[in-house]
């Protein structure tokens, strides 16, 4: 894990789910997944937006890279994950969850939520070489 990711996760834990860096605020999700290749545990800090049903949406933008982030492949192979996110009050919630990749219609609706939160997602599209960013719904199972 990069030093930057470690710092973001540390700030998340130290501030009961609030992160000042990069506009995360209380929208950081710490995704714990299983590596598709090695089976090792992986941890990824991601922007997670409420799905309106008690879960979160996450987007595989990889900051506009033409390639999907590795966590996308991890979720496609093993959708059973553990996630941490800021609770509605204060503090952090930890859930067992299932990650489901959205179909094109649902993806488009969720994509509008991401772009309305930050125009940076629109900028990412300029460098992604036509890649469509996958979006997943994280649904708690506990």
């Amino acid at each position: 894990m990069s030093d930057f990711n470690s710092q973001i996760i540390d700030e998340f834990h130290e501030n009961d789910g609030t992160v000042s860096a990069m506009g995360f605020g209380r929208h950081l999700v710490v995704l714990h997944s299983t590596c598709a290749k090695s089976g090792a545990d992986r941890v990824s800090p991601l922007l997670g937006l409420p799905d309106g049903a008690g879960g979160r949406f996450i987007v595989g933008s990889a900051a506009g890279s033409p390639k999907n982030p590795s966590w996308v492949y991890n979720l496609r192979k093993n959708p059973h994950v553990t996630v941490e996110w800021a609770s509605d009050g204060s503090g952090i919630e930890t859930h067992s969850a299932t990650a489901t990749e959205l179909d094109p219609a649902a993806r488009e609706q969720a994509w509008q939520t991401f772009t309305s939160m930050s125009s940076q997602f629109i900028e990412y599209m300029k460098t992604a070489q036509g890649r469509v960013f996958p979006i997943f719904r994280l649904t708690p199972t506990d």
Side-chain angles (χ1 to χ4, degrees):
M1 180 179 345
S2 73
D3 287 341
F4 177 76
N5 284 352
S6 294
Q7 291 172 357
I8 294 290
I9 293 169
D10 288 347
E11 184 178 350
F12 174 81
H13 288 128
E14 291 167 5
N15 294 313
D16 289 324
T18 301
V19 177
S20 61
M22 300 185 62
F24 283 116
R26 293 190 59 78
H27 294 292
L28 186 77
V29 168
V30 179
L31 175 69
H32 301 262
S33 62
T34 302
C35 180
K37 289 183 180 180
S38 69
D41 293 333
R42 297 287 186 241
V43 179
S44 306
L46 306 166
L47 179 68
L49 300 180
D51 68 357
R56 299 290 187 275
F57 291 123
I58 53 175
V59 60
S61 65
S65 169
K67 296 181 180 179
N68 285 329
S70 58
W71 63 261
V72 166
Y73 303 104
N74 298 346
L75 298 187
R76 286 176 177 164
K77 184 169 182 177
N78 184 355
H80 305 288
V81 298
T82 300
V83 293
E84 301 173 74
W85 60 58
S87 67
D88 288 338
S90 63
I92 297 169
E93 299 176 10
T94 302
H95 298 279
S96 295
T98 300
T100 306
E101 191 165 359
L102 300 183
D103 64 43
R107 185 216 161 272
E108 185 58 32
Q109 187 174 7
W111 178 245
Q112 296 304 316
T113 304
F114 281 97
T115 59
S116 67
M117 182 185 177
S118 173
S119 62
Q120 188 62 46
F121 288 106
I122 295 168
E123 294 299 312
Y124 289 164
M125 292 172 56
K126 296 176 182 177
T127 58
Q129 299 177 359
R131 179 173 70 87
V132 175
F133 303 142
I135 299 179
F136 290 80
R137 174 180 276 120
L138 303 173
T139 305
T141 58
D142 51 8

